[in-house]
Amino acid sequence: MFPLHATLLAVLVSVALCQYDDYDYRPASMLGPSGPNCDQECDCPINFPTAMYCDSRKLKVVPMVPKGIKYLYLQNNKIEEIRAGVFDNVTDELRWLVLDKNQITNAKIAKGTIDKLTALEKLFFSYNNLTEPVIPPSKFLNELKMMHNKISKFPSGLLADKENLTSVHLQHNQLSSEAIGGAFKGSKKLLSLDMSNNKLKKLPAGVPSSLEILYADHNDIDSVGAGYLSKLSSLQYLRISHNKLVDSGLPAGVFNVTSLVELDLSFNKLQSIPEINEQLQQLYLQANDINKFELTSFCKLITPVNFSHLKHLRLDANQITHGSMPPEYSTCLRHASDIMFD
C-alpha cells in the first residue's frame, strides 16, 4: 500500500499524462527512481508503478514489458519492429500504448503482440510507416490515432466490436472513399472522426448517428449526398475546407440541419451561399467564387423569434463586398458580431 501523498501524486500525474502529445516534458524524472523489474533502457517510477517510460531513447525495438504495466510510452524513438513476446506479461493489463514517431511497418509487427492486447483503451500509432490499420482485439478501445502514416486500406469489419470507441484520427494518410466503405459500422459511440488530408471523393459512409465531429479537410470531395447530414442527428462540427465542392454538388437544404454549430466550407469552388439552419453559429466560406449574397440562405422567415443565430461569417476572398448585402441583413443576422469580407 502506497502512502496517501504518493497515491494522490499518481492520480494527478495520470491526469497530466492525458496531454502526452507534449513530448518535451519529462514525467518519469519527476516521479523518483525506477523499479527493479524495468527494462534497463526505460524508467518505471516507483511512485507510479503502472507506467513504463521508454520515450526518446533511440530504441530500435520494443523492449520486454514487465507485469503490472498499464501505460507504455515509446514515442520518439527509431523503432522498426515489434518482436513476438514483448507484451506477453501484460496482454490483459496494458491500457495505453504510445508508439508515435517511430519507423514501424506492418510487416515488422509480429503476430501475438498487439493482436493479443485485450484490455487496451488507447492506441497511438501516428507518424510511422503503416500501410493498413493495426487494431487490437480489446473491446475497451476508446481512442485510436494513426495519423501521418501511409494507410491506403481499411478493411470493413475491423471496428465491428469496438462499441466503446469514441475517437478515431486517420488524417494524413492515403485513404480513398472506397477504402473506408463500411469501416465505421459497429462503432455506436463514435463521437469524433478526422479524415483530413486523404484521398476522399465523398464524405465517409456508414458513420454512426452518435458522431459529433467530422473533419474531412484537404480531400477531393466535390459533392455531399442528399440526406447525408439528416442521418447524423448529433453532428455539431463539420469541416470540408480545401476540397472541390461546387454548387451542383450540394442538394437544396443539405446543410439545413438543426444540430450543426460550425460549418467550414472554405477554399472550395462555390458560387453561392448554401442554405443553412438558423441554429448555425459559425460559417466559413472564404476563398470560394461566391458572387451574390442572398438573405434566404440564412433566414426563410424573419420575426421577433425567427432569425439566424450566426455569430461569425467569413466571406473574404470571394467576389462580393459588404455593399452586396441587402439593407435588411441586420434584422436576419442580428447576432452576427463578426462578418468578414476582406
Side-chain angles (χ1 to χ4, degrees), residues 65-117:
V65 183
K67 189 173 180 58
I69 296 300
K70 295 181 179 179
Y71 308 97
L72 178 58
Y73 301 91
L74 289 157
Q75 68 270 20
N76 279 328
N77 279 293
K78 298 181 179 181
I79 297 172
E80 298 178 354
E81 64 178 319
I82 304 176
R83 294 175 179 173
V86 293
F87 300 132
D88 281 0
N89 295 320
V90 291
T91 55
D92 59 352
E93 291 184 283
L94 196 63
R95 306 276 184 82
W96 289 24
L97 176 56
V98 183
L99 287 161
D100 291 351
K101 297 186 178 179
N102 280 287
Q103 302 168 20
I104 304 170
T105 61
N106 292 86
K108 293 286 187 174
I109 302 174
K111 291 183 178 181
T113 54
I114 293 178
D115 55 327
K116 280 191 175 182
L117 298 177

Side-chain angles (χ1 to χ4, degrees), residues 82 145 152 173 192 206 221 231 236 246 289 300 306 325:
I82 304 176
K145 289 187 176 183
S152 60
N173 277 289
S192 177
I221 300 169
K231 299 176 183 178
Q236 298 182 48
V246 293
D289 299 319
K300 289 291 184 291
N306 295 100
M325 301 173 70

Side-chain angles (χ1 to χ4, degrees), residues 83-208:
R83 294 175 179 173
V86 293
F87 300 132
D88 281 0
N89 295 320
V90 291
T91 55
D92 59 352
E93 291 184 283
L94 196 63
R95 306 276 184 82
W96 289 24
L97 176 56
V98 183
L99 287 161
D100 291 351
K101 297 186 178 179
N102 280 287
Q103 302 168 20
I104 304 170
T105 61
N106 292 86
K108 293 286 187 174
I109 302 174
K111 291 183 178 181
T113 54
I114 293 178
D115 55 327
K116 280 191 175 182
L117 298 177
T118 58
L120 206 64
E121 297 174 358
K122 300 182 186 299
L123 177 58
F124 301 106
F125 221 137
S126 301
Y127 295 93
N128 277 278
N129 295 312
L130 301 179
T131 54
E132 57 185 289
V134 178
I135 309 296
S138 173
K139 293 183 179 181
F140 304 100
L141 190 69
N142 58 54
E143 190 170 7
L144 179 66
K145 289 187 176 183
M146 292 187 175
M147 57 265 206
H148 290 273
N149 276 282
K150 301 175 182 178
I151 300 174
S152 60
K153 57 182 178 179
F154 202 114
S156 179
L158 284 183
L159 303 177
D161 63 341
K162 301 297 182 283
E163 295 186 359
N164 291 297
L165 191 61
T166 60
S167 178
V168 175
H169 293 259
L170 292 169
Q171 60 266 42
H172 290 277
N173 277 289
Q174 300 174 16
L175 290 163
S176 65
S177 295
E178 294 75 19
I180 60 171
F184 307 107
K185 290 180 180 179
S187 304
K188 299 177 182 179
K189 295 182 182 179
L190 191 62
L191 299 177
S192 177
L193 175 61
D194 195 335
M195 297 295 304
S196 302
N197 288 276
N198 275 282
K199 298 181 178 181
L200 304 184
K201 291 187 177 180
K202 56 184 179 180
L203 291 173
V207 293

Side-chain angles (χ1 to χ4, degrees), residues 225-288:
Y228 181 88
L229 296 182
S230 63
K231 299 176 183 178
L232 301 178
S233 57
S234 300
L235 191 66
Q236 298 182 48
Y237 302 92
L238 176 61
R239 296 181 181 176
I240 324 177
S241 70
H242 295 272
N243 276 281
K244 300 177 181 179
L245 290 175
V246 293
D247 289 2
S248 60
L250 301 181
V254 68
F255 296 122
N256 188 1
V257 292
T258 58
S259 63
L260 277 184
V261 174
E262 176 186 289
L263 176 61
D264 189 349
L265 302 174
S266 60
F267 294 89
N268 278 285
K269 299 180 180 180
L270 301 177
Q271 294 183 316
S272 59
I273 300 173
E275 176 187 343
I276 63 169
N277 191 270
E278 292 177 349
Q279 299 303 315
L280 191 73
Q281 296 182 20
Q282 300 183 54
L283 177 61
Y284 302 95
L285 288 164
Q286 69 268 27
N288 275 279

Side-chain angles (χ1 to χ4, degrees), residues 284-325:
Y284 302 95
L285 288 164
Q286 69 268 27
N288 275 279
D289 299 319
I290 296 172
N291 53 38
K292 54 185 176 180
F293 189 102
E294 294 181 340
L295 210 56
T296 54
S297 297
F298 306 94
C299 297
K300 289 291 184 291
L301 181 66
I302 304 176
T303 71
V305 295
N306 295 100
F307 52 88
S308 173
H309 290 76
L310 200 67
K311 296 180 180 179
H312 303 284
L313 172 62
R314 286 196 61 175
L315 287 165
D316 43 311
N318 278 287
Q319 299 177 31
I320 54 175
T321 64
H322 194 278
S324 306
M325 301 173 70

